[in-house]
Amino acid sequence: MSAVLEEAERPKYVNVFILSAEIVQKAAHQLSGSGGPSGVDAELWKKMLLSKQHKTKPYELCQPVADQAHKLISEPINSIDMEAFLVSRLIPFGKKDNGIHPIGIGEFLRRLVQILQILQ
């Protein structure tokens, strides 16, 4: 049996929610943390998505983020296309027994999409 389902065999996804720029801004308020592989941390993303200093520009960025998040949440995505989205920066933490415990720090957009999925 093939691990990859043919188009006709894939379950159909139903669009049952709508993401908006306002929901993205609400979710962005909840996030914090350091940057993933790109090095862009949550504070910089918040400045881009929430700052009133830039007039309507944050809102204009939030809507495409909402559209992309909706696509990631509600449509089947090819696993190869997801590789860049799921990449994490690994940080080694030392254990008491001299072992290493890897901690993965994902990109802000990945964490944001996860929050958006929970909010829905």
Side-chain angles (χ1 to χ4, degrees):
M1 179 172 193
S2 173
V4 178
L5 294 176
E6 296 298 324
E7 187 70 32
E9 298 172 328
R10 292 182 187 163
K12 300 296 180 204
Y13 291 85
V14 179
N15 179 6
V16 294
F17 63 91
I18 296 172
L19 289 176
S20 66
E22 292 84 10
I23 295 171
V24 169
Q25 289 180 326
K26 179 182 175 184
H29 276 292
Q30 299 179 21
L31 292 172
S32 62
S34 64
S38 71
V40 180
D41 66 358
E43 292 307 312
L44 181 56
W45 269 104
K46 283 183 180 183
K47 185 175 182 178
M48 291 188 295
L49 294 172
L50 306 172
S51 176
K52 292 181 172 61
Q53 183 178 25
H54 303 295
K55 299 183 182 172
T56 62
K57 297 300 180 192
Y59 185 84
E60 291 172 12
L61 176 60
C62 288
Q63 192 56 54
V65 169
D67 295 342
Q68 186 62 34
H70 184 269
K71 181 178 179 180
L72 289 167
I73 292 169
S74 64
E75 296 177 13
I77 306 293
N78 186 334
S79 61
I80 295 170
D81 296 336
M82 290 294 291
E83 187 174 334
F85 183 72
L86 297 175
V87 70
S88 295
R89 180 171 54 134
L90 294 177
I91 306 294
F93 275 153
K95 294 182 178 180
K96 290 180 182 178
D97 64 356
N98 293 329
I100 294 177
H101 181 74
I103 303 293
I105 301 173
E107 287 291 344
F108 176 84
L109 285 176
R110 174 182 171 184
R111 298 190 310 254
L112 181 63
V113 168
Q114 291 168 337
I115 293 292
L116 291 169
Q117 189 169 18
I118 292 168
L119 288 174
Q120 295 303 317

